Amino acid sequence: MSEQYWNASASASASASASSSSSLNSSSHDTEDDHTIAAILAEEERLRYDGKLGKRLSHLDSIPHTPRVIGDIPDANDATLDHERLAERLATYKLAELQIEGDGNCQFRALADQLLQHQDYHQYVRKHVVKQLKSHRNLYEGYVPMKYKSYVKKMKRLGEWGDHVTLQAAADRFEAKICLVTSFRDTCYIEILPRDKSPSRELWLSFWSEIHYNSLYQTGEVPTRRHRKKHWLF
């Protein structure tokens, strides 16, 4: 697992270039895809109100969340220790990971799995996060240590790693509480809440610090995902 995701750091730029011709640029596909996504979200809301969702942890203490860009990538030894720490925490809280592809899109893939029941919808999630960043510049610009337009342009590219600024934008856009179980030494759990709104859903992710995100479920409840046909992809 560690080798696959560690190599993702070196290949992120290549992945972004190879993916630049994706159907994000097709307005007709966007319209059809948005209708499909709307139907999935409506079904997810129906299930939530039926009481079949929400089997999540509620007793963990969270620290205040401050959006930030990606920090330093740990060296190989620290990364191994971080991963072992995360695995121990997940076992303690009876959580299990649905493994997310390590292609530079892992944050958006993990969010897509939680929101839409499949990581292949990651381009839809990225598109709406970028819209949120563009539309509400005043909310996020202060956390970005570079020209904001360049940052937004960078985040639009497939294969570009998401950070805690994009997590905040996702929480705001989808009105979701994002629950992050981390490998940080001093921080086990972070809640990212939408600004000025009550969350309508919870999204649970694991964060192998600065390296990889996976989608979280209770142990024994990790779903089996079939790869979708190409015409379903965004």
Side-chain angles (χ1 to χ4, degrees):
M1 176 178 176
S2 59
E3 181 179 356
Q4 175 187 0
Y5 299 142
W6 193 253
N7 288 338
S9 174
S11 62
S13 297
S15 297
S17 176
S19 302
S20 62
S21 61
S22 75
S23 57
L24 276 173
N25 297 321
S26 171
S27 59
S28 62
H29 281 298
D30 282 350
T31 301
E32 294 174 2
D33 293 339
D34 284 356
H35 290 162
T36 302
I37 292 299
I40 293 174
L41 286 174
E43 175 65 9
E44 190 268 349
E45 287 298 289
R46 184 189 70 78
L47 291 173
R48 185 173 67 85
Y49 285 117
D50 283 348
K52 296 179 181 178
L53 299 182
K55 294 181 179 179
R56 297 292 188 258
L57 301 180
S58 60
H59 60 281
L60 293 178
D61 293 328
S62 172
I63 65 167
H65 174 250
T66 301
R68 61 175 178 78
V69 298
I70 293 174
D72 294 333
I73 304 297
D75 63 31
N77 289 333
D78 286 342
T80 298
L81 292 174
D82 284 350
H83 189 263
E84 291 173 354
R85 185 183 304 113
L86 176 59
E88 289 174 1
R89 288 173 177 172
L90 296 178
T92 297
Y93 297 117
K94 295 180 169 51
L95 294 170
E97 295 172 307
L98 186 147
Q99 299 299 322
I100 297 298
E101 186 175 343
D103 63 348
N105 300 301
C106 63
Q107 182 189 109
F108 300 99
R109 285 182 176 276
L111 290 170
D113 181 76
Q114 289 281 307
L115 274 169
L116 307 166
Q117 294 82 62
H118 208 289
Q119 64 173 296
D120 283 353
Y121 289 120
H122 64 95
Q123 293 186 46
Y124 171 89
V125 175
R126 185 185 288 272
K127 178 179 71 173
H128 281 271
V129 167
V130 169
K131 282 184 178 180
Q132 180 72 17
L133 293 170
K134 285 182 176 179
S135 300
H136 301 279
R137 175 173 179 163
N138 61 306
L139 296 179
Y140 312 107
E141 184 174 17
Y143 301 110
V144 177
M146 61 185 296
K147 290 185 178 180
Y148 191 73
K149 287 185 178 180
S150 298
Y151 172 79
V152 173
K153 183 178 180 180
K154 181 178 73 167
M155 283 303 166
K156 186 177 180 181
R157 297 196 297 263
L158 293 181
E160 190 64 45
W161 289 19
D163 53 32
H164 283 225
V165 180
T166 57
L167 281 178
Q168 183 64 60
D172 296 338
R173 183 73 178 187
F174 296 108
E175 297 183 12
K177 178 169 75 173
I178 299 176
C179 306
L180 211 60
V181 180
T182 82
S183 68
F184 290 129
R185 291 181 180 85
D186 57 352
T187 305
C188 171
Y189 177 62
I190 300 172
E191 286 184 356
I192 303 169
L193 297 169
R195 300 171 189 266
D196 303 321
K197 293 180 181 178
S198 296
S200 61
R201 55 176 61 86
E202 290 184 0
L203 311 178
W204 282 77
L205 310 181
S206 66
F207 180 40
W208 178 9
S209 305
E210 313 304 341
I211 295 176
H212 191 67
Y213 292 86
N214 280 319
S215 180
L216 285 183
Y217 294 86
Q218 285 190 320
T219 299
E221 295 185 3
V222 178
T224 300
R225 305 296 198 205
R226 294 183 179 179
H227 185 69
R228 293 188 178 274
K229 296 180 181 179
K230 191 173 181 62
H231 70 268
W232 278 83
L233 303 185
F234 294 94

